[in-house]
Amino acid sequence: MNKIPDATPEIVEQIRPEVVAQRVESVRERIARACDRAGRSPDALTLVAISKTFPMQAIASGTAAGLVHFGENRARQLRDKAKARPGAFEGGDVTWHMVGHLQRNKAKYVARHADWFDALDSPRLAKELNKRAAKNDRVMPCLVQVNITGQDQKYGLAPEAVHDYLDHCAQYDHLAIKGLMALASFVDDPEEVRGEFREMRTLFETYDATHNPQVTMEELSIGMSNDFEVAIEEGSTMVRLGTSIFGPRDYD
Ligand SMILES: *Cc1c(COP(=O)(O)O)cnc(C)c1O
């Protein structure tokens, strides 16, 4: 069954090109101001538009507004969207990120259709994804997901396990681990998660990849619609924005 969500009139209205273009413009201004405060260049920041739960019109509106990176949290929805609009690995003009938890039996879809896998979080998944990437004759860019909140999240490695896990992944020739990803605690005031972002940055900066050819620490994917400015101030190189680009969703 095709997993692309239906394009209802209400949703198509919500994500029409002019609306998305306006949201992207406002987000870009906020990103530029946050980069300014942090003394960083906005050019060094990747904006991943999280298109989960939205129909293909979201991708069309997003690309019309200059977006290139799109993120999905379900493997089969990503697969079907990437079939409709192929990512760079398949010769297309967008870049697909799988940002959600991946079951091993769906790793094949990600290895085949995604450009990046941003939620690597277990030895068994690394082994399976490496195998699937090999079958597709590719080296899969990945981020390791960290459970930085300590409690309320199901996924991600404990911070103290991350560096050992990166060492463990040195054996996988078909994975290129490019950095770390995390979701901060869900709070009303983003100042409350500044400490979590700082902890991520420390984990990111203190890994010694000298003897690990599979790891290059280039990307720190932190920051979502409610906290991306704080994340940028704390060193994010990649923000993942859903609501602030496409408007509210009924579900995740
Ligand atoms: C849904 C989702 C996002 C985007 O969430 P918003 O709050 O809508 O910006 C970012 N990252 C992951 C992993 C997600 O699942």
Side-chain angles (χ1 to χ4, degrees):
M1 206 187 101
N2 186 325
K3 296 284 181 184
I4 299 176
D6 292 337
T8 64
E10 294 76 21
I11 291 293
V12 171
E13 174 72 15
Q14 176 178 322
I15 57 173
R16 64 179 207 279
E18 314 83 78
V19 178
V20 170
Q22 210 161 52
R23 290 207 197 91
V24 168
E25 192 189 319
S26 126
V27 158
R28 290 224 183 268
E29 280 167 13
R30 290 171 61 189
I31 288 175
R33 281 197 297 270
C35 285
D36 212 41
R37 287 195 294 280
R40 307 175 46 201
S41 162
D43 301 338
L45 194 96
T46 302
L47 167 50
V48 181
I50 304 296
S51 48
K52 66 186 181 190
T53 81
F54 288 105
M56 290 309 291
Q57 282 85 343
I59 313 306
S61 293
T63 52
L67 299 175
V68 175
H69 294 259
F70 295 90
E72 292 287 330
N73 70 341
R74 297 193 181 182
R76 288 177 301 173
Q77 190 170 145
L78 185 147
R79 173 198 66 193
D80 292 339
K81 286 178 173 173
K83 280 184 181 174
R85 178 111 190 201
F89 173 64
E90 297 186 281
D93 62 350
V94 297
T95 299
W96 286 108
H97 292 250
M98 170 65 182
V99 301
H101 179 68
L102 181 61
Q103 291 168 294
R104 277 178 300 150
N105 62 353
K106 292 176 187 155
K108 55 181 181 270
Y109 303 135
V110 169
R112 172 84 196 276
H113 299 288
D115 294 291
W116 285 67
F117 176 54
D118 299 3
L120 193 60
D121 66 351
S122 80
R124 295 197 310 171
L125 181 58
K127 185 175 181 190
E128 177 67 17
L129 194 65
N130 183 68
K131 185 174 108 190
R132 295 290 174 178
K135 281 195 173 151
N136 284 281
D137 198 19
R138 71 184 296 194
V139 177
M140 181 104 217
C142 298
L143 302 177
V144 167
Q145 183 172 357
V146 183
N147 178 354
I148 203 66
T149 68
Q151 322 134 17
D152 48 339
Q153 284 174 10
K154 278 188 283 193
Y155 303 120
L157 292 160
E160 57 274 18
V162 169
H163 288 184
D164 284 348
Y165 181 72
L166 292 167
D167 289 343
H168 171 82
C169 289
Q171 65 191 295
Y172 295 126
D173 291 352
H174 291 272
L175 304 182
I177 299 177
K178 304 243 176 226
L180 305 179
M181 183 276 261
L183 286 78
S185 296
F186 295 101
V187 292
D188 291 332
D189 178 3
E191 281 301 329
E192 287 177 44
V193 295
R194 193 179 283 279
E196 294 179 0
F197 290 144
R198 281 202 182 147
E199 207 184 320
M200 282 300 295
R201 182 175 185 162
T202 301
L203 272 178
F204 175 69
E205 288 181 341
T206 55
Y207 182 68
D208 177 6
T210 321
H211 303 291
N212 188 341
Q214 302 320 118
V215 177
T216 52
M217 294 297 247
E218 299 163 49
E219 301 289 350
L220 179 58
S221 176
I222 47 174
M224 299 169 38
S225 292
N226 61 327
D227 57 21
F228 70 91
E229 287 148 306
V230 174
I232 290 169
E233 288 167 14
E234 296 303 330
S236 173
T237 67
M238 192 178 260
V239 292
R240 308 180 310 271
L241 307 181
T243 315
S244 55
I245 303 281
F246 299 117
R249 302 178 296 270
D250 290 343
Y251 59 99
D252 276 333

